[in-house]
Amino acid sequence: MSDAVPPLLRRLRRRARALDARVVLPESEDPRILRAAAEAARVGLCRPLLVGGENTRAAAETAGVDLPESVEILDPRKDPGRPGMARRLAASLAKRGLSEDAETLSLDPLFYANMLLVDGRADAAVMGAVATTGDTLRAALRVVGVDPRYRVVTSCFLMAFPDGRTLVYADCGVIPRPTPPQLADIAQQAADAYRDLVEDDPNVALLAFSTKGSAQHESLEPIREALRLLRERRPDFQVDGELQADAALVPAIAHRKAPDSPVAGRANVMVFPDLNSGNIAYKLTERLAGARAIGPLLQGLERPIHDLSRGCSAEDILDTLAIASLDAARLDAARRKR
């Protein structure tokens, strides 16, 4: 394990090792995936399942990666269980009025990985080192579907800073222009992610270019409406808006701009008004502040499926494997309570 890994991420990896989760990785010819799978198996982070075949082994040899015997490689074309999974997928698609060919989809590594989750042969999935977020979501929504407790699928990034601070940024990967109800859902799911992963109380800031009415513009109305909706729902976390980023983070500025805010100056969950601002902010934070950006962590799906940035490193993949393992345990516990 690298000494450069921030303390929170080291804790997440320790917690994941106790779970022994089966995490499927469908992009098995990517050298970063291969290195992360080999390391995860070596340190007992999880039980990696690679979707592939002989090409996977050839790619590992080319990349100089020695895959441990405990890393299982599943070839959809040779899997005796795949036809049955394809039939069940066909029935599910037909029930939803979708006419896609389940047999063809079942041979696609992304879809096959999701089918392993539904079939109980894997506990979580991590993909997106090669595939776009759109491709990842399409497979997840077709096969796994939305968790009935939520109305929308969103995403967040876990931002781990070199000095030990941790923030959650949302939504940076899924919804381009969220409506007020969607923005409220983003805030709730991001708060849940912070609580589950950081094991601390979330303080959620709905970000804008204005603080508490210091400016007036039609683009601020969805943020104010989202705050009203959250207050109606009485969430189990502190939330406030609209807040400028400096008012959300810096106590001295918060004292001047929003002295009565329960969140200003101590926010740890940053909810952006749209996908443009969120995506730009996480990449700037990663590149200029040296933060580790883990995600996009998908939220609101029936099974734990996490996306990767196509610019991810093997270390990022290891951290996402740890988070996916933890989410698998959390979602399994939630299903048993229903």
Side-chain angles (χ1 to χ4, degrees), residues 196-210:
D196 293 339
L197 298 176
V198 184
E199 298 182 299
D200 196 4
D201 292 330
N203 296 310
V204 179
L206 303 180
L207 298 177
F209 68 85
S210 166

Side-chain angles (χ1 to χ4, degrees), residues 99-318:
S99 59
E100 292 169 282
D101 182 4
E103 176 67 19
T104 299
L105 293 179
S106 72
L107 293 169
D108 181 295
L110 301 184
F111 279 83
Y112 177 75
N114 278 270
M115 292 162 66
L116 292 174
L117 291 178
V118 173
D119 211 45
R121 294 169 60 188
D123 301 306
V126 171
M127 58 192 76
V130 179
T132 65
T133 295
D135 289 338
T136 295
L137 277 172
R138 177 173 175 264
L141 290 171
R142 289 291 191 275
V143 181
V144 169
V146 179
D147 187 321
R149 297 173 298 165
Y150 300 111
R151 286 157 292 200
V152 66
V153 175
T154 70
S155 73
C156 71
F157 274 86
L158 186 67
M159 308 297 296
F161 290 80
D163 63 4
R165 289 179 302 145
T166 303
L167 298 176
V168 163
Y169 284 12
D171 173 10
C172 306
V174 177
I175 303 177
R177 297 183 66 183
T179 63
Q182 289 174 333
L183 201 57
D185 286 342
I186 290 167
Q188 287 188 286
Q189 293 183 1
D192 287 342
Y194 185 88
R195 182 184 288 111
D196 293 339
L197 298 176
V198 184
E199 298 182 299
D200 196 4
D201 292 330
N203 296 310
V204 179
L206 303 180
L207 298 177
F209 68 85
S210 166
T211 294
K212 308 301 287 184
S214 64
Q216 297 300 322
H217 190 269
E218 62 183 14
S219 65
L220 298 169
E221 292 308 314
I223 302 165
R224 294 165 181 167
E225 176 64 11
L227 179 63
R228 186 189 68 78
L229 291 172
L230 285 164
R231 285 175 172 164
E232 282 184 357
R233 296 177 189 179
R234 298 181 182 274
D236 58 343
F237 54 86
Q238 295 282 5
V239 59
D240 202 10
E242 77 272 12
L243 294 173
Q244 291 166 284
D246 57 355
L249 292 170
V250 183
I253 295 175
H255 181 71
R256 292 196 299 271
K257 291 186 174 183
D260 298 323
S261 172
V263 167
R266 58 192 192 95
N268 48 37
V269 176
M270 315 294 277
V271 176
F272 295 89
D274 57 42
L275 190 56
N276 274 324
S277 56
N279 194 274
I280 291 167
Y282 105 76
K283 289 182 184 292
L284 285 174
T285 304
E286 181 182 33
R287 300 303 174 183
L288 299 182
R292 290 280 300 281
I294 309 304
L297 305 175
L298 298 179
Q299 301 165 281
L301 291 165
E302 180 71 12
R303 297 288 192 278
I305 301 158
H306 285 318
D307 197 9
L308 295 163
S309 168
R310 282 173 288 171
C312 67
S313 66
E315 286 285 315
D316 295 334
I317 297 167
L318 283 169

